[in-house]
Amino acid sequence: MALHRLGKDPEEWIAGSHFDPAERWPWWIDLVSASVARGVDVRRARAVSEPVSAYIRYEHALTGGHNVKAGESVRWLPRRRASSLLLPGNDCWVFDRSSVLFNHFNGDGEMTGEELVTDPGVVHACVSAFEVIWERATPHEEYRPV
């Protein structure tokens, strides 16, 4: 179950123990806030299945007070709107259009490793895919999980 990749936080939230993300992950808010203050554009796009799972409801509920508060721009793309897109097969981060960090998860959602790729063809493919996703996706403030 994907809930395990962030420890007990999702289970606690689903059970009704709502918490302030800034208290749990202050290092992330500090990192993103400092990056944005330097002029770095931090964007996150999430492709989600609908109806959304409890885990995605958890992520959505925390995004405004955690990611957006830190300075990230976040958008949501329902998978039904992604059928015509060619997407990377793994969760990833693109840095400065020069490298991609792929996150590898097992079937239970637990992270099993990372892979940093600097191959220009792979980076270009991921950047291109992200830009198309970004254009199709709904800004966090407007997205309502179904």
Side-chain angles (χ1 to χ4, degrees):
M1 181 175 245
L3 299 179
H4 297 290
R5 73 179 188 202
L6 288 178
K8 294 189 181 285
D9 292 342
E11 288 97 343
E12 291 174 11
W13 185 88
I14 291 165
S17 176
H18 295 245
F19 52 84
D20 180 359
E23 294 175 8
R24 299 263 175 124
W25 305 293
W27 60 271
W28 180 254
I29 291 176
D30 292 346
L31 173 65
V32 172
S33 297
S35 298
V36 170
R38 287 194 333 265
V40 174
D41 187 20
V42 181
R43 298 184 296 163
R44 181 188 302 253
R46 291 182 169 141
V48 294
S49 298
E50 293 179 328
V52 299
S53 66
Y55 181 78
I56 296 302
R57 286 196 187 287
Y58 159 80
E59 276 194 328
H60 186 268
L62 296 183
T63 294
H66 181 59
N67 305 84
V68 174
K69 180 180 178 181
E72 284 186 55
S73 294
V74 179
R75 292 189 181 184
W76 300 82
L77 181 67
R79 290 187 194 284
R80 64 179 155 60
R81 296 187 59 216
S83 297
S84 63
L85 304 180
L86 298 177
L87 305 175
N90 292 297
D91 179 70
C92 64
W93 289 88
V94 176
F95 298 100
D96 298 328
R97 297 179 178 258
S98 63
S99 60
V100 178
L101 180 66
F102 289 103
N103 298 307
H104 299 287
F105 296 94
N106 67 17
D108 291 328
E110 295 175 25
M111 192 167 193
T112 60
E114 302 173 324
E115 177 185 8
L116 184 64
V117 177
T118 57
D119 177 279
V122 173
V123 173
H124 176 73
C126 290
V127 168
S128 297
F130 181 84
E131 293 303 333
V132 174
I133 293 167
W134 191 253
E135 289 304 314
R136 278 196 197 182
T138 304
H140 175 73
E141 298 76 17
E142 299 171 21
Y143 181 72
R144 300 294 172 256
V146 176

PDB file of all heavy atoms in Angstrom, residues 5 8 24 28 36 74 110 126 142:
ATOM      1  N   ARG A   5       5.227   4.823   2.195  1.00  0.00           N
ATOM      2  CA  ARG A   5       6.409   5.551   1.770  1.00  0.00           C
ATOM      3  C   ARG A   5       6.665   6.807   2.580  1.00  0.00           C
ATOM      4  O   ARG A   5       7.746   7.347   2.562  1.00  0.00           O
ATOM      5  CB  ARG A   5       6.381   5.832   0.282  1.00  0.00           C
ATOM      6  CG  ARG A   5       5.434   6.875  -0.163  1.00  0.00           C
ATOM      7  CD  ARG A   5       5.564   7.021  -1.658  1.00  0.00           C
ATOM      8  NE  ARG A   5       4.783   8.154  -2.086  1.00  0.00           N
ATOM      9  CZ  ARG A   5       4.348   8.332  -3.279  1.00  0.00           C
ATOM     10  NH1 ARG A   5       4.626   7.463  -4.209  1.00  0.00           N
ATOM     11  NH2 ARG A   5       3.654   9.387  -3.595  1.00  0.00           N
ATOM     12  N   LYS A   8       4.072   6.747   9.008  1.00  0.00           N
ATOM     13  CA  LYS A   8       2.716   6.671   9.555  1.00  0.00           C
ATOM     14  C   LYS A   8       1.904   7.928   9.298  1.00  0.00           C
ATOM     15  O   LYS A   8       0.721   7.971   9.596  1.00  0.00           O
ATOM     16  CB  LYS A   8       2.789   6.393  11.051  1.00  0.00           C
ATOM     17  CG  LYS A   8       3.369   5.032  11.371  1.00  0.00           C
ATOM     18  CD  LYS A   8       3.215   4.731  12.835  1.00  0.00           C
ATOM     19  CE  LYS A   8       3.795   3.402  13.169  1.00  0.00           C
ATOM     20  NZ  LYS A   8       3.000   2.272  12.758  1.00  0.00           N
ATOM     21  N   ARG A  24       6.238  18.869  10.732  1.00  0.00           N
ATOM     22  CA  ARG A  24       6.771  17.550  10.380  1.00  0.00           C
ATOM     23  C   ARG A  24       7.942  17.624   9.418  1.00  0.00           C
ATOM     24  O   ARG A  24       8.832  16.800   9.454  1.00  0.00           O
ATOM     25  CB  ARG A  24       5.676  16.683   9.750  1.00  0.00           C
ATOM     26  CG  ARG A  24       4.502  16.431  10.650  1.00  0.00           C
ATOM     27  CD  ARG A  24       4.626  15.096  11.353  1.00  0.00           C
ATOM     28  NE  ARG A  24       3.557  14.930  12.300  1.00  0.00           N
ATOM     29  CZ  ARG A  24       2.724  13.913  12.309  1.00  0.00           C
ATOM     30  NH1 ARG A  24       2.836  12.957  11.425  1.00  0.00           N
ATOM     31  NH2 ARG A  24       1.786  13.833  13.219  1.00  0.00           N
ATOM     32  N   TRP A  28      11.949  20.800   4.371  1.00  0.00           N
ATOM     33  CA  TRP A  28      11.469  20.948   2.987  1.00  0.00           C
ATOM     34  C   TRP A  28      10.995  22.376   2.741  1.00  0.00           C
ATOM     35  O   TRP A  28      11.324  22.990   1.733  1.00  0.00           O
ATOM     36  CB  TRP A  28      10.349  19.953   2.694  1.00  0.00           C
ATOM     37  CG  TRP A  28       9.860  20.097   1.286  1.00  0.00           C
ATOM     38  CD1 TRP A  28       8.690  20.654   0.867  1.00  0.00           C
ATOM     39  CD2 TRP A  28      10.560  19.709   0.106  1.00  0.00           C
ATOM     40  NE1 TRP A  28       8.617  20.635  -0.502  1.00  0.00           N
ATOM     41  CE2 TRP A  28       9.766  20.057  -0.998  1.00  0.00           C
ATOM     42  CE3 TRP A  28      11.793  19.102  -0.130  1.00  0.00           C
ATOM     43  CZ2 TRP A  28      10.143  19.826  -2.308  1.00  0.00           C
ATOM     44  CZ3 TRP A  28      12.170  18.861  -1.431  1.00  0.00           C
ATOM     45  CH2 TRP A  28      11.355  19.224  -2.502  1.00  0.00           C
ATOM     46  N   VAL A  36      13.188  29.404  -3.882  1.00  0.00           N
ATOM     47  CA  VAL A  36      12.280  30.343  -4.545  1.00  0.00           C
ATOM     48  C   VAL A  36      12.761  31.778  -4.322  1.00  0.00           C
ATOM     49  O   VAL A  36      12.722  32.606  -5.238  1.00  0.00           O
ATOM     50  CB  VAL A  36      10.828  30.130  -4.064  1.00  0.00           C
ATOM     51  CG1 VAL A  36       9.903  31.243  -4.548  1.00  0.00           C
ATOM     52  CG2 VAL A  36      10.315  28.763  -4.538  1.00  0.00           C
ATOM     53  N   VAL A  74       2.016  23.893  -7.811  1.00  0.00           N
ATOM     54  CA  VAL A  74       1.601  22.496  -7.912  1.00  0.00           C
ATOM     55  C   VAL A  74       0.364  22.404  -8.797  1.00  0.00           C
ATOM     56  O   VAL A  74      -0.565  23.212  -8.663  1.00  0.00           O
ATOM     57  CB  VAL A  74       1.287  21.896  -6.517  1.00  0.00           C
ATOM     58  CG1 VAL A  74       0.838  20.444  -6.635  1.00  0.00           C
ATOM     59  CG2 VAL A  74       2.492  22.023  -5.594  1.00  0.00           C
ATOM     60  N   GLU A 110       6.846   1.678  -1.409  1.00  0.00           N
ATOM     61  CA  GLU A 110       8.055   1.957  -0.637  1.00  0.00           C
ATOM     62  C   GLU A 110       9.197   2.269  -1.590  1.00  0.00           C
ATOM     63  O   GLU A 110       9.405   1.586  -2.582  1.00  0.00           O
ATOM     64  CB  GLU A 110       8.424   0.763   0.240  1.00  0.00           C
ATOM     65  CG  GLU A 110       7.388   0.488   1.303  1.00  0.00           C
ATOM     66  CD  GLU A 110       7.701  -0.765   2.099  1.00  0.00           C
ATOM     67  OE1 GLU A 110       8.883  -1.153   2.185  1.00  0.00           O
ATOM     68  OE2 GLU A 110       6.753  -1.360   2.621  1.00  0.00           O
ATOM     69  N   CYS A 126      12.112  14.053 -20.643  1.00  0.00           N
ATOM     70  CA  CYS A 126      11.405  14.322 -19.383  1.00  0.00           C
ATOM     71  C   CYS A 126      10.952  15.778 -19.300  1.00  0.00           C
ATOM     72  O   CYS A 126       9.836  16.064 -18.858  1.00  0.00           O
ATOM     73  CB  CYS A 126      12.287  13.960 -18.191  1.00  0.00           C
ATOM     74  SG  CYS A 126      12.521  12.181 -18.003  1.00  0.00           S
ATOM     75  N   GLU A 142      -7.392  25.188  -7.876  1.00  0.00           N
ATOM     76  CA  GLU A 142      -8.623  24.913  -8.613  1.00  0.00           C
ATOM     77  C   GLU A 142      -9.010  23.434  -8.629  1.00  0.00           C
ATOM     78  O   GLU A 142     -10.145  23.088  -8.948  1.00  0.00           O
ATOM     79  CB  GLU A 142      -8.478  25.384 -10.069  1.00  0.00           C
ATOM     80  CG  GLU A 142      -8.229  26.867 -10.196  1.00  0.00           C
ATOM     81  CD  GLU A 142      -7.879  27.273 -11.620  1.00  0.00           C
ATOM     82  OE1 GLU A 142      -8.196  26.521 -12.578  1.00  0.00           O
ATOM     83  OE2 GLU A 142      -7.262  28.338 -11.775  1.00  0.00           O
TER      84      GLU A 142
END
